[in-house]
Amino acid sequence: TEVEKHCQQLVSEVLLKHPENVDEETEETTLHVAVIKENTEIINLLVSNAYIDFKVTDKKGKRPIDITNNDTIKSLLTKNHQ
């Protein structure tokens, strides 16, 4: 619906303006959370942002690529930052 499209657009704009959002407790970034939830739409959106730091680690010392076994997600993360 139009409302869903509008909401997706607003979320996209916020994520692109603030990709560095970090959960203070876990130190997970928005990209970490998208990877955990296996949300490829959000991952694609985030990896297209030149300001995304793919090497940032969470509290456990894990990068987003370190927390997934999903080959599709690994491919998205590697092809966009090499």
Side-chain angles (χ1 to χ4, degrees), residues 4-62:
E4 288 173 329
K5 287 180 186 178
H6 182 69
C7 286
Q8 286 177 335
Q9 180 64 30
L10 289 174
V11 168
S12 298
E13 288 174 16
V14 169
L15 288 175
L16 288 176
K17 288 179 184 174
H18 305 285
E20 72 287 352
N21 285 346
V22 176
D23 180 293
E24 290 181 24
E25 183 177 323
T26 64
E27 298 179 11
E28 292 170 342
T29 64
T30 305
L31 185 56
H32 280 94
V33 174
V35 169
I36 290 166
K37 295 189 177 284
E38 296 189 340
N39 188 325
T40 55
E41 186 176 339
I42 298 298
I43 293 167
N44 270 318
L45 178 68
L46 290 169
V47 298
S48 69
N49 185 325
Y51 300 104
I52 288 287
D53 182 358
F54 292 90
K55 296 179 182 176
V56 68
T57 59
D58 62 13
K59 196 172 190 174
K60 297 176 183 175
K62 304 282 187 175

